[in-house]
Amino acid sequence: MDGNIDIREQVMLMRAVIGRKIMEIDAYEEKATNLTGDEAEKCLNMIDFLKRDILGYKSIIEDLRDGSMDLTGDLWDIASLPEDSLHLYTDFYLPELSEEDRNEDTKAMELKAKYAQDLAKAYIVHIGRMALTDPNVIERILANEELVSLIGSAVLDMPELLEAIEKQY
């Protein structure tokens, strides 16, 4: 996932972030009971965000725990920063953190984003391999001119594949 930090360090960082976020949830819950209106709603939204964030880190830790990086996590959990929460995260949450916690959170969020990209790519590759090995799917692909055209374009961009095809004909 990240050449600068080994898997063990990544897991330790994410566990530390999870622990802090659990305590922050408690603080936001207490805060929300003493507030009303928009401020209470911000706290409740932050609680929801933090819970989703924790799920994402737990999903990654589960994948990394044995060091296999099997990329089986739940992308929905890992990509836990929906657009409607972005302003809460950047304008409300991050400024409240100490510099050390903000740096830790930024590092962890970068790891999570990279992992989400890797997971999405692995999923796409997996689906592609399944499609290219299933005779029923291959038949449907061949019946779809647009898909065949996309494959043809990709083959044209890879001289070794084009060469392999040309050798057959």
Side-chain angles (χ1 to χ4, degrees), residues 112-139:
K112 189 163 70 158
K114 174 71 170 109
Y115 191 86
Q117 290 171 347
D118 292 348
L119 181 60
K121 182 179 178 184
Y123 181 71
I124 290 168
V125 168
H126 172 72
I127 293 297
R129 285 188 175 131
M130 286 177 50
L132 292 173
T133 58
D134 184 320
N136 293 324
V137 176
I138 290 173
E139 192 174 306

Side-chain angles (χ1 to χ4, degrees), residues 19-114:
R20 178 175 44 79
K21 289 181 187 245
I22 289 170
M23 291 187 301
E24 291 168 353
I25 287 170
D26 293 342
Y28 280 118
E29 285 173 343
E30 186 177 325
K31 217 180 203 185
T33 61
N34 299 321
L35 297 171
T36 59
D38 288 344
E39 290 303 310
E41 189 174 333
K42 276 184 189 177
C43 289
L44 295 175
N45 288 339
M46 276 311 308
I47 291 167
D48 289 342
F49 165 75
L50 290 169
K51 286 179 179 179
R52 285 192 310 258
D53 205 26
I54 289 169
L55 280 176
Y57 288 120
K58 285 182 176 181
S59 186
I60 294 170
I61 289 170
E62 187 64 30
D63 277 3
L64 297 178
R65 193 173 51 181
D66 65 358
S68 68
M69 287 187 54
D70 59 5
L71 297 171
T72 57
D74 184 334
L75 188 58
W76 176 255
D77 287 343
I78 294 166
S80 64
L81 193 59
E83 253 183 78
D84 60 344
S85 296
L86 186 58
H87 73 284
L88 277 175
Y89 181 72
T90 57
D91 301 338
F92 182 68
Y93 177 70
L94 283 178
E96 287 190 355
L97 295 178
S98 69
E99 185 176 343
E100 183 180 334
D101 288 345
R102 192 170 36 255
N103 289 338
E104 182 182 72
D105 209 75
T106 300
K107 263 186 177 177
M109 192 62 84
E110 287 170 358
L111 288 173
K112 189 163 70 158
K114 174 71 170 109

